[in-house]
Amino acid sequence: MTLAADHLPNTAAATGDSHSLQLAVDGIHCAACVQRIERALRAEPDVTAARVNFTTRRLALSWRGPAARAGDFIERLDEMGFTARPFDAGALSAADTAQDRKLMRAMGVSGFAAGNVMWLAISVWAGVFEDMGPATRGLLHWVQALIALPAIAYAGMTFYASAWKALRSGHVNMDVPISIGVILAAVMSVVQTVIGADEAYFDAAISLVFLLLVGRFLDQRARGRARAAAAHLLSLHVAEVSRLTPDNRVEVVPLERVAAGDSLLVAAGGRIPVDGVVLAGRSALDTSSLTGESVPAAVGIGDEVFAGTLNLDAALTVGARAVGPDTVLAEIVRCMEAAEQGRARYVVLADRLARLYAPVVHTLAAVTFLGWWLWPVGAPWTVALLNAVAVLIITCPCALAIAVPAVQVAASGRLFRRGILMKSATALERLATIDTIVFDKTGTLTEGRPELIGERAVPPALLTLASGIAAGSRHPLAQALRRAAPEAPVVGNVREVPGDGLEVAVEGRLLRLGRRDFAAPGRAEVDDGCAEIWLAGEGVEPVRFAFRDRPRPDAAAVIRDLRRDHRVLLLSGDRAPAVADLAGRLGIEDWQAACRPADKVARIEALKAAGAKVLMVGDGINDAPSLAAADASMAPSAAADIARTAADVVFQGAGLAAVPATLAVAKRSQVLVRENLGLSLLYNITLVPLAVLGLVTPLLAAVAMSVSSLTVILNALRLGKAGKEIVP
């Protein structure tokens, strides 16, 4: 199959000549399939990354060279027995629905046949016909064959087709031993019937197919739930928008034709298509899809709006600032994909164990057959074959393969519904070990919206100059200064010195806006508990701007909750009086003021050297080094770009409840991961020897295999219930 790359809607040109692609891959049934795909694609000379998510069956592929190479990679997958197509949430949903219906039809056929065959088999076993002779028994066996064989052929096609594709490409997958087991049981029963033997196993063969289909159906539904979060996000995209032309006409254009600076009309009931600012109108937005906040947010002229949010009340005119991949919505999707595509330590362990599956299981089944048939047991070949079939079925590694991804997906989905985005697949493991939490102050513990006080005492010209310089920074104090004089002309070529402030040359004069010791080092400290920044420079007398900022509404409750099990510190670049005032109000005993970025990093390194596992929560450019230095890190969604990039977790909303919620889910998920791995290993360690010893029939093996997979999935879903209990 050839699929031109320019027909792949998700193909995206990256930097230089590199390209990436998201593909949905059918035919992945076990970890061995994942490894085959990744190994084969990575062997291609141009491929720079190939990662398959076993749970969602999504392939993330990157390569150097022309986009048309995508067709070559899809053909390579086809040769290996896998069907790949562009990852599209709508198409996948339709495909899942079709697959569900197919499995349900197969389950219906096999279940009906199994019920009837079982009744006939019970009649034979129980001796319902007291005078049953060989002819009657043979007739009942033939009736069972007439019912069971067509059903086995039709309902088992799901497994046969997958196994045949794998064998044709020179490999084996999980469906190969399953198909061998079912076919052997059916063929053996036919042989027994033809030769007039006392026993046939049509009931076991068709029941085996039915139970395997039940397990496959439930597995399919569980994966559908795993994809639901990402699919929901992708569904928030808008395909067409109403754009205002320069002569104030309205034209409907595809979103791809919208650029930053365009003015868009968003009707009531429509979704905001871009990140931007309201140019005209007032309305309320449902932001629950992105932030988890259920209360609509009122917006008016000058307010920021984000793609994917729903306009509830009245039409808005929105000026586009970011479109497509540059929007917050696109970033959220990338975060979800990164969390899903990553490979945690336990996933690597499970993959290594599953890698041994194919050679070990076939060898074990062969040894079982020969051991029972030839030496040392010397049993009839039918008994030896039944025991070998039981080994093939019971060693299916479904439970082991999904033990970790099921928990990982459940945890990511649970946190996402709280507006918490995991950017790293290993973050859960690291967060589960945290015992020390370091908070930044402004924008993290506080709302990050300080307001300028006493502005009437500041000369208007200096306030205008300071506001123009502050326009070049996202620091909360700079933005507060900007809000105090929004009409001030923006001063260009401003350089931000992390941890200190802003520096710019205006008409040949060097001016500084920032910390007192950076902008006006000769001035005495003012001990009024307010945050401050200073403006000073050549020809400009130092001017102090004082601000007050409120703590986040739940900050005190969150700190009180965290202190029960964690050590909590406050490290701030702000002045000591302001930091001491906030620390006192929130009950933080261990605080340090006037910290530069290097000071924060040094303190975190010292904590780690003492054996602490440190979580850093910060939002500013000056927090980026400490976010990277900590064992794990979190940043609010309003943080500076570099802080969000450095953080492992980004959380939405106005509160800090995301911090204890994330820690609780992380710890709970690691417990469930260990439980799942333990259950999977216990299942194999206990039942495989029993199957080799002939104590488990193929029917019981199918029941055990399905039960083990369902047990692992249900155990992972316990995380959702636990999350509701622990989230404030």
Side-chain angles (χ1 to χ4, degrees), residues 409-441:
V409 171
S412 298
R414 173 72 188 127
L415 292 173
F416 170 72
R417 287 191 290 275
R418 291 281 304 171
I420 303 167
L421 306 174
M422 304 294 299
K423 294 177 57 186
S424 167
T426 62
L428 284 175
E429 292 180 10
R430 289 181 279 123
L431 285 163
T433 64
I434 293 299
D435 55 23
T436 302
I437 304 172
V438 176
F439 283 98
D440 172 50
K441 173 181 166 287

PDB file of all heavy atoms in Angstrom, residues 409-441:
ATOM      1  N   VAL A 409      -2.181   5.616  31.635  1.00  0.00           N
ATOM      2  CA  VAL A 409      -3.250   6.309  30.930  1.00  0.00           C
ATOM      3  C   VAL A 409      -4.341   6.749  31.899  1.00  0.00           C
ATOM      4  O   VAL A 409      -4.872   7.864  31.802  1.00  0.00           O
ATOM      5  CB  VAL A 409      -3.819   5.397  29.829  1.00  0.00           C
ATOM      6  CG1 VAL A 409      -5.078   6.016  29.226  1.00  0.00           C
ATOM      7  CG2 VAL A 409      -2.783   5.193  28.740  1.00  0.00           C
ATOM      8  N   ALA A 410      -4.677   5.891  32.855  1.00  0.00           N
ATOM      9  CA  ALA A 410      -5.708   6.261  33.835  1.00  0.00           C
ATOM     10  C   ALA A 410      -5.269   7.479  34.651  1.00  0.00           C
ATOM     11  O   ALA A 410      -6.069   8.385  34.912  1.00  0.00           O
ATOM     12  CB  ALA A 410      -5.993   5.076  34.754  1.00  0.00           C
ATOM     13  N   ALA A 411      -3.991   7.517  35.034  1.00  0.00           N
ATOM     14  CA  ALA A 411      -3.489   8.645  35.827  1.00  0.00           C
ATOM     15  C   ALA A 411      -3.477   9.929  35.000  1.00  0.00           C
ATOM     16  O   ALA A 411      -3.897  10.990  35.476  1.00  0.00           O
ATOM     17  CB  ALA A 411      -2.086   8.331  36.341  1.00  0.00           C
ATOM     18  N   SER A 412      -3.003   9.850  33.748  1.00  0.00           N
ATOM     19  CA  SER A 412      -2.973  11.038  32.891  1.00  0.00           C
ATOM     20  C   SER A 412      -4.380  11.564  32.666  1.00  0.00           C
ATOM     21  O   SER A 412      -4.618  12.777  32.712  1.00  0.00           O
ATOM     22  CB  SER A 412      -2.315  10.703  31.548  1.00  0.00           C
ATOM     23  OG  SER A 412      -0.982  10.306  31.735  1.00  0.00           O
ATOM     24  N   GLY A 413      -5.320  10.660  32.418  1.00  0.00           N
ATOM     25  CA  GLY A 413      -6.696  11.088  32.206  1.00  0.00           C
ATOM     26  C   GLY A 413      -7.316  11.690  33.448  1.00  0.00           C
ATOM     27  O   GLY A 413      -8.024  12.694  33.387  1.00  0.00           O
ATOM     28  N   ARG A 414      -7.008  11.078  34.595  1.00  0.00           N
ATOM     29  CA  ARG A 414      -7.556  11.597  35.856  1.00  0.00           C
ATOM     30  C   ARG A 414      -7.043  13.015  36.131  1.00  0.00           C
ATOM     31  O   ARG A 414      -7.799  13.912  36.493  1.00  0.00           O
ATOM     32  CB  ARG A 414      -7.146  10.668  36.998  1.00  0.00           C
ATOM     33  CG  ARG A 414      -7.505  11.190  38.370  1.00  0.00           C
ATOM     34  CD  ARG A 414      -8.995  11.126  38.602  1.00  0.00           C
ATOM     35  NE  ARG A 414      -9.355  11.803  39.833  1.00  0.00           N
ATOM     36  CZ  ARG A 414     -10.277  12.755  39.901  1.00  0.00           C
ATOM     37  NH1 ARG A 414     -10.920  13.140  38.822  1.00  0.00           N
ATOM     38  NH2 ARG A 414     -10.563  13.315  41.053  1.00  0.00           N
ATOM     39  N   LEU A 415      -5.747  13.229  35.926  1.00  0.00           N
ATOM     40  CA  LEU A 415      -5.167  14.549  36.156  1.00  0.00           C
ATOM     41  C   LEU A 415      -5.640  15.544  35.111  1.00  0.00           C
ATOM     42  O   LEU A 415      -5.872  16.719  35.414  1.00  0.00           O
ATOM     43  CB  LEU A 415      -3.636  14.456  36.140  1.00  0.00           C
ATOM     44  CG  LEU A 415      -3.025  13.675  37.308  1.00  0.00           C
ATOM     45  CD1 LEU A 415      -1.525  13.508  37.103  1.00  0.00           C
ATOM     46  CD2 LEU A 415      -3.296  14.381  38.630  1.00  0.00           C
ATOM     47  N   PHE A 416      -5.790  15.087  33.873  1.00  0.00           N
ATOM     48  CA  PHE A 416      -6.239  15.998  32.822  1.00  0.00           C
ATOM     49  C   PHE A 416      -7.609  16.565  33.139  1.00  0.00           C
ATOM     50  O   PHE A 416      -7.874  17.743  32.900  1.00  0.00           O
ATOM     51  CB  PHE A 416      -6.270  15.259  31.489  1.00  0.00           C
ATOM     52  CG  PHE A 416      -6.948  16.038  30.400  1.00  0.00           C
ATOM     53  CD1 PHE A 416      -6.339  17.145  29.847  1.00  0.00           C
ATOM     54  CD2 PHE A 416      -8.207  15.676  29.950  1.00  0.00           C
ATOM     55  CE1 PHE A 416      -6.958  17.875  28.856  1.00  0.00           C
ATOM     56  CE2 PHE A 416      -8.841  16.397  28.962  1.00  0.00           C
ATOM     57  CZ  PHE A 416      -8.221  17.494  28.404  1.00  0.00           C
ATOM     58  N   ARG A 417      -8.489  15.723  33.675  1.00  0.00           N
ATOM     59  CA  ARG A 417      -9.827  16.220  34.009  1.00  0.00           C
ATOM     60  C   ARG A 417      -9.774  17.268  35.104  1.00  0.00           C
ATOM     61  O   ARG A 417     -10.723  18.032  35.301  1.00  0.00           O
ATOM     62  CB  ARG A 417     -10.733  15.045  34.424  1.00  0.00           C
ATOM     63  CG  ARG A 417     -11.154  14.169  33.258  1.00  0.00           C
ATOM     64  CD  ARG A 417     -12.247  13.192  33.666  1.00  0.00           C
ATOM     65  NE  ARG A 417     -11.761  12.164  34.554  1.00  0.00           N
ATOM     66  CZ  ARG A 417     -11.186  11.047  34.159  1.00  0.00           C
ATOM     67  NH1 ARG A 417     -11.027  10.818  32.864  1.00  0.00           N
ATOM     68  NH2 ARG A 417     -10.760  10.147  35.023  1.00  0.00           N
ATOM     69  N   ARG A 418      -8.667  17.319  35.854  1.00  0.00           N
ATOM     70  CA  ARG A 418      -8.477  18.364  36.865  1.00  0.00           C
ATOM     71  C   ARG A 418      -7.709  19.557  36.300  1.00  0.00           C
ATOM     72  O   ARG A 418      -7.323  20.451  37.033  1.00  0.00           O
ATOM     73  CB  ARG A 418      -7.692  17.788  38.055  1.00  0.00           C
ATOM     74  CG  ARG A 418      -8.448  16.762  38.877  1.00  0.00           C
ATOM     75  CD  ARG A 418      -9.414  17.446  39.819  1.00  0.00           C
ATOM     76  NE  ARG A 418      -8.713  18.408  40.675  1.00  0.00           N
ATOM     77  CZ  ARG A 418      -9.310  19.267  41.462  1.00  0.00           C
ATOM     78  NH1 ARG A 418     -10.610  19.295  41.492  1.00  0.00           N
ATOM     79  NH2 ARG A 418      -8.615  20.104  42.204  1.00  0.00           N
ATOM     80  N   GLY A 419      -7.449  19.542  34.998  1.00  0.00           N
ATOM     81  CA  GLY A 419      -6.695  20.637  34.399  1.00  0.00           C
ATOM     82  C   GLY A 419      -5.203  20.524  34.641  1.00  0.00           C
ATOM     83  O   GLY A 419      -4.486  21.523  34.616  1.00  0.00           O
ATOM     84  N   ILE A 420      -4.720  19.305  34.891  1.00  0.00           N
ATOM     85  CA  ILE A 420      -3.299  19.075  35.176  1.00  0.00           C
ATOM     86  C   ILE A 420      -2.714  18.259  34.030  1.00  0.00           C
ATOM     87  O   ILE A 420      -3.210  17.169  33.726  1.00  0.00           O
ATOM     88  CB  ILE A 420      -3.121  18.310  36.501  1.00  0.00           C
ATOM     89  CG1 ILE A 420      -3.790  19.085  37.641  1.00  0.00           C
ATOM     90  CG2 ILE A 420      -1.644  18.083  36.808  1.00  0.00           C
ATOM     91  CD1 ILE A 420      -3.937  18.277  38.912  1.00  0.00           C
ATOM     92  N   LEU A 421      -1.670  18.774  33.398  1.00  0.00           N
ATOM     93  CA  LEU A 421      -1.105  18.147  32.210  1.00  0.00           C
ATOM     94  C   LEU A 421       0.262  17.567  32.507  1.00  0.00           C
ATOM     95  O   LEU A 421       1.160  18.271  32.965  1.00  0.00           O
ATOM     96  CB  LEU A 421      -0.988  19.172  31.087  1.00  0.00           C
ATOM     97  CG  LEU A 421      -2.272  19.919  30.739  1.00  0.00           C
ATOM     98  CD1 LEU A 421      -1.999  20.997  29.711  1.00  0.00           C
ATOM     99  CD2 LEU A 421      -3.331  18.969  30.257  1.00  0.00           C
ATOM    100  N   MET A 422       0.412  16.286  32.238  1.00  0.00           N
ATOM    101  CA  MET A 422       1.698  15.621  32.437  1.00  0.00           C
ATOM    102  C   MET A 422       2.532  15.781  31.170  1.00  0.00           C
ATOM    103  O   MET A 422       2.102  15.399  30.090  1.00  0.00           O
ATOM    104  CB  MET A 422       1.487  14.132  32.723  1.00  0.00           C
ATOM    105  CG  MET A 422       0.574  13.835  33.896  1.00  0.00           C
ATOM    106  SD  MET A 422       1.278  14.360  35.458  1.00  0.00           S
ATOM    107  CE  MET A 422       2.755  13.377  35.494  1.00  0.00           C
ATOM    108  N   LYS A 423       3.735  16.327  31.299  1.00  0.00           N
ATOM    109  CA  LYS A 423       4.602  16.501  30.144  1.00  0.00           C
ATOM    110  C   LYS A 423       5.652  15.410  30.040  1.00  0.00           C
ATOM    111  O   LYS A 423       6.317  15.298  29.024  1.00  0.00           O
ATOM    112  CB  LYS A 423       5.296  17.864  30.204  1.00  0.00           C
ATOM    113  CG  LYS A 423       4.346  19.037  30.059  1.00  0.00           C
ATOM    114  CD  LYS A 423       5.079  20.344  30.187  1.00  0.00           C
ATOM    115  CE  LYS A 423       6.190  20.440  29.167  1.00  0.00           C
ATOM    116  NZ  LYS A 423       7.004  21.639  29.358  1.00  0.00           N
ATOM    117  N   SER A 424       5.818  14.644  31.089  1.00  0.00           N
ATOM    118  CA  SER A 424       6.848  13.611  31.103  1.00  0.00           C
ATOM    119  C   SER A 424       6.250  12.301  31.592  1.00  0.00           C
ATOM    120  O   SER A 424       5.520  12.275  32.586  1.00  0.00           O
ATOM    121  CB  SER A 424       8.004  14.030  32.017  1.00  0.00           C
ATOM    122  OG  SER A 424       8.859  12.938  32.266  1.00  0.00           O
ATOM    123  N   ALA A 425       6.564  11.227  30.873  1.00  0.00           N
ATOM    124  CA  ALA A 425       6.049   9.916  31.272  1.00  0.00           C
ATOM    125  C   ALA A 425       6.676   9.432  32.571  1.00  0.00           C
ATOM    126  O   ALA A 425       6.095   8.608  33.277  1.00  0.00           O
ATOM    127  CB  ALA A 425       6.315   8.899  30.165  1.00  0.00           C
ATOM    128  N   THR A 426       7.865   9.924  32.900  1.00  0.00           N
ATOM    129  CA  THR A 426       8.528   9.479  34.122  1.00  0.00           C
ATOM    130  C   THR A 426       8.175  10.361  35.314  1.00  0.00           C
ATOM    131  O   THR A 426       8.628  10.099  36.422  1.00  0.00           O
ATOM    132  CB  THR A 426      10.056   9.477  33.938  1.00  0.00           C
ATOM    133  OG1 THR A 426      10.483  10.821  33.669  1.00  0.00           O
ATOM    134  CG2 THR A 426      10.463   8.595  32.773  1.00  0.00           C
ATOM    135  N   ALA A 427       7.389  11.406  35.072  1.00  0.00           N
ATOM    136  CA  ALA A 427       7.086  12.345  36.155  1.00  0.00           C
ATOM    137  C   ALA A 427       6.330  11.662  37.295  1.00  0.00           C
ATOM    138  O   ALA A 427       6.580  11.956  38.472  1.00  0.00           O
ATOM    139  CB  ALA A 427       6.283  13.521  35.618  1.00  0.00           C
ATOM    140  N   LEU A 428       5.430  10.771  36.974  1.00  0.00           N
ATOM    141  CA  LEU A 428       4.651  10.108  38.029  1.00  0.00           C
ATOM    142  C   LEU A 428       5.561   9.348  38.976  1.00  0.00           C
ATOM    143  O   LEU A 428       5.370   9.379  40.199  1.00  0.00           O
ATOM    144  CB  LEU A 428       3.620   9.162  37.405  1.00  0.00           C
ATOM    145  CG  LEU A 428       2.373   9.817  36.798  1.00  0.00           C
ATOM    146  CD1 LEU A 428       1.504   8.762  36.124  1.00  0.00           C
ATOM    147  CD2 LEU A 428       1.576  10.557  37.860  1.00  0.00           C
ATOM    148  N   GLU A 429       6.542   8.654  38.425  1.00  0.00           N
ATOM    149  CA  GLU A 429       7.476   7.905  39.278  1.00  0.00           C
ATOM    150  C   GLU A 429       8.249   8.847  40.186  1.00  0.00           C
ATOM    151  O   GLU A 429       8.450   8.558  41.372  1.00  0.00           O
ATOM    152  CB  GLU A 429       8.445   7.102  38.413  1.00  0.00           C
ATOM    153  CG  GLU A 429       7.789   5.969  37.656  1.00  0.00           C
ATOM    154  CD  GLU A 429       8.783   5.193  36.821  1.00  0.00           C
ATOM    155  OE1 GLU A 429      10.003   5.424  36.988  1.00  0.00           O
ATOM    156  OE2 GLU A 429       8.347   4.379  36.010  1.00  0.00           O
ATOM    157  N   ARG A 430       8.699   9.975  39.633  1.00  0.00           N
ATOM    158  CA  ARG A 430       9.490  10.906  40.438  1.00  0.00           C
ATOM    159  C   ARG A 430       8.628  11.648  41.446  1.00  0.00           C
ATOM    160  O   ARG A 430       9.028  11.879  42.579  1.00  0.00           O
ATOM    161  CB  ARG A 430      10.217  11.892  39.515  1.00  0.00           C
ATOM    162  CG  ARG A 430      11.351  11.211  38.733  1.00  0.00           C
ATOM    163  CD  ARG A 430      12.089  12.166  37.828  1.00  0.00           C
ATOM    164  NE  ARG A 430      11.383  12.375  36.578  1.00  0.00           N
ATOM    165  CZ  ARG A 430      10.989  13.529  36.111  1.00  0.00           C
ATOM    166  NH1 ARG A 430      11.207  14.620  36.823  1.00  0.00           N
ATOM    167  NH2 ARG A 430      10.375  13.635  34.972  1.00  0.00           N
ATOM    168  N   LEU A 431       7.436  12.016  41.052  1.00  0.00           N
ATOM    169  CA  LEU A 431       6.540  12.724  41.970  1.00  0.00           C
ATOM    170  C   LEU A 431       6.136  11.840  43.147  1.00  0.00           C
ATOM    171  O   LEU A 431       5.860  12.339  44.242  1.00  0.00           O
ATOM    172  CB  LEU A 431       5.296  13.188  41.210  1.00  0.00           C
ATOM    173  CG  LEU A 431       5.494  14.395  40.289  1.00  0.00           C
ATOM    174  CD1 LEU A 431       4.346  14.512  39.301  1.00  0.00           C
ATOM    175  CD2 LEU A 431       5.624  15.669  41.109  1.00  0.00           C
ATOM    176  N   ALA A 432       6.077  10.540  42.927  1.00  0.00           N
ATOM    177  CA  ALA A 432       5.657   9.635  43.993  1.00  0.00           C
ATOM    178  C   ALA A 432       6.658   9.589  45.144  1.00  0.00           C
ATOM    179  O   ALA A 432       6.326   9.171  46.248  1.00  0.00           O
ATOM    180  CB  ALA A 432       5.445   8.234  43.431  1.00  0.00           C
ATOM    181  N   THR A 433       7.896  10.025  44.891  1.00  0.00           N
ATOM    182  CA  THR A 433       8.936   9.956  45.929  1.00  0.00           C
ATOM    183  C   THR A 433       9.168  11.297  46.623  1.00  0.00           C
ATOM    184  O   THR A 433      10.010  11.376  47.518  1.00  0.00           O
ATOM    185  CB  THR A 433      10.267   9.499  45.302  1.00  0.00           C
ATOM    186  OG1 THR A 433      10.713  10.493  44.361  1.00  0.00           O
ATOM    187  CG2 THR A 433      10.101   8.176  44.568  1.00  0.00           C
ATOM    188  N   ILE A 434       8.450  12.324  46.246  1.00  0.00           N
ATOM    189  CA  ILE A 434       8.717  13.672  46.755  1.00  0.00           C
ATOM    190  C   ILE A 434       8.452  13.768  48.255  1.00  0.00           C
ATOM    191  O   ILE A 434       7.424  13.305  48.754  1.00  0.00           O
ATOM    192  CB  ILE A 434       7.832  14.693  46.007  1.00  0.00           C
ATOM    193  CG1 ILE A 434       8.252  14.781  44.545  1.00  0.00           C
ATOM    194  CG2 ILE A 434       7.904  16.064  46.681  1.00  0.00           C
ATOM    195  CD1 ILE A 434       9.675  15.227  44.323  1.00  0.00           C
ATOM    196  N   ASP A 435       9.400  14.381  48.981  1.00  0.00           N
ATOM    197  CA  ASP A 435       9.190  14.643  50.409  1.00  0.00           C
ATOM    198  C   ASP A 435       9.441  16.112  50.766  1.00  0.00           C
ATOM    199  O   ASP A 435       9.218  16.525  51.908  1.00  0.00           O
ATOM    200  CB  ASP A 435      10.087  13.748  51.265  1.00  0.00           C
ATOM    201  CG  ASP A 435      11.562  13.872  50.905  1.00  0.00           C
ATOM    202  OD1 ASP A 435      11.968  14.912  50.344  1.00  0.00           O
ATOM    203  OD2 ASP A 435      12.322  12.916  51.190  1.00  0.00           O
ATOM    204  N   THR A 436       9.923  16.905  49.816  1.00  0.00           N
ATOM    205  CA  THR A 436      10.200  18.322  50.060  1.00  0.00           C
ATOM    206  C   THR A 436       9.654  19.146  48.894  1.00  0.00           C
ATOM    207  O   THR A 436       9.888  18.794  47.735  1.00  0.00           O
ATOM    208  CB  THR A 436      11.719  18.562  50.179  1.00  0.00           C
ATOM    209  OG1 THR A 436      12.231  17.753  51.237  1.00  0.00           O
ATOM    210  CG2 THR A 436      12.012  20.019  50.462  1.00  0.00           C
ATOM    211  N   ILE A 437       8.931  20.210  49.225  1.00  0.00           N
ATOM    212  CA  ILE A 437       8.328  21.045  48.176  1.00  0.00           C
ATOM    213  C   ILE A 437       8.821  22.475  48.338  1.00  0.00           C
ATOM    214  O   ILE A 437       8.721  23.066  49.423  1.00  0.00           O
ATOM    215  CB  ILE A 437       6.796  21.016  48.254  1.00  0.00           C
ATOM    216  CG1 ILE A 437       6.291  19.568  48.186  1.00  0.00           C
ATOM    217  CG2 ILE A 437       6.183  21.831  47.124  1.00  0.00           C
ATOM    218  CD1 ILE A 437       4.817  19.427  48.444  1.00  0.00           C
ATOM    219  N   VAL A 438       9.367  23.028  47.257  1.00  0.00           N
ATOM    220  CA  VAL A 438       9.860  24.400  47.248  1.00  0.00           C
ATOM    221  C   VAL A 438       8.929  25.236  46.375  1.00  0.00           C
ATOM    222  O   VAL A 438       8.699  24.901  45.210  1.00  0.00           O
ATOM    223  CB  VAL A 438      11.297  24.463  46.696  1.00  0.00           C
ATOM    224  CG1 VAL A 438      11.755  25.916  46.595  1.00  0.00           C
ATOM    225  CG2 VAL A 438      12.237  23.663  47.588  1.00  0.00           C
ATOM    226  N   PHE A 439       8.396  26.318  46.958  1.00  0.00           N
ATOM    227  CA  PHE A 439       7.507  27.207  46.220  1.00  0.00           C
ATOM    228  C   PHE A 439       8.227  28.511  45.892  1.00  0.00           C
ATOM    229  O   PHE A 439       8.989  29.041  46.704  1.00  0.00           O
ATOM    230  CB  PHE A 439       6.261  27.547  47.049  1.00  0.00           C
ATOM    231  CG  PHE A 439       5.235  26.450  47.084  1.00  0.00           C
ATOM    232  CD1 PHE A 439       5.182  25.584  48.176  1.00  0.00           C
ATOM    233  CD2 PHE A 439       4.333  26.276  46.049  1.00  0.00           C
ATOM    234  CE1 PHE A 439       4.239  24.579  48.227  1.00  0.00           C
ATOM    235  CE2 PHE A 439       3.386  25.274  46.097  1.00  0.00           C
ATOM    236  CZ  PHE A 439       3.332  24.416  47.188  1.00  0.00           C
ATOM    237  N   ASP A 440       7.923  29.018  44.708  1.00  0.00           N
ATOM    238  CA  ASP A 440       8.234  30.410  44.397  1.00  0.00           C
ATOM    239  C   ASP A 440       7.102  31.263  44.981  1.00  0.00           C
ATOM    240  O   ASP A 440       6.052  30.738  45.351  1.00  0.00           O
ATOM    241  CB  ASP A 440       8.327  30.581  42.880  1.00  0.00           C
ATOM    242  CG  ASP A 440       8.453  32.034  42.474  1.00  0.00           C
ATOM    243  OD1 ASP A 440       9.328  32.723  43.043  1.00  0.00           O
ATOM    244  OD2 ASP A 440       7.665  32.477  41.625  1.00  0.00           O
ATOM    245  N   LYS A 441       7.303  32.562  45.071  1.00  0.00           N
ATOM    246  CA  LYS A 441       6.283  33.400  45.686  1.00  0.00           C
ATOM    247  C   LYS A 441       5.357  34.038  44.649  1.00  0.00           C
ATOM    248  O   LYS A 441       4.234  33.592  44.457  1.00  0.00           O
ATOM    249  CB  LYS A 441       6.958  34.502  46.530  1.00  0.00           C
ATOM    250  CG  LYS A 441       6.012  35.545  47.089  1.00  0.00           C
ATOM    251  CD  LYS A 441       6.781  36.594  47.889  1.00  0.00           C
ATOM    252  CE  LYS A 441       5.920  37.822  48.160  1.00  0.00           C
ATOM    253  NZ  LYS A 441       5.741  38.634  46.939  1.00  0.00           N
TER     254      LYS A 441
END
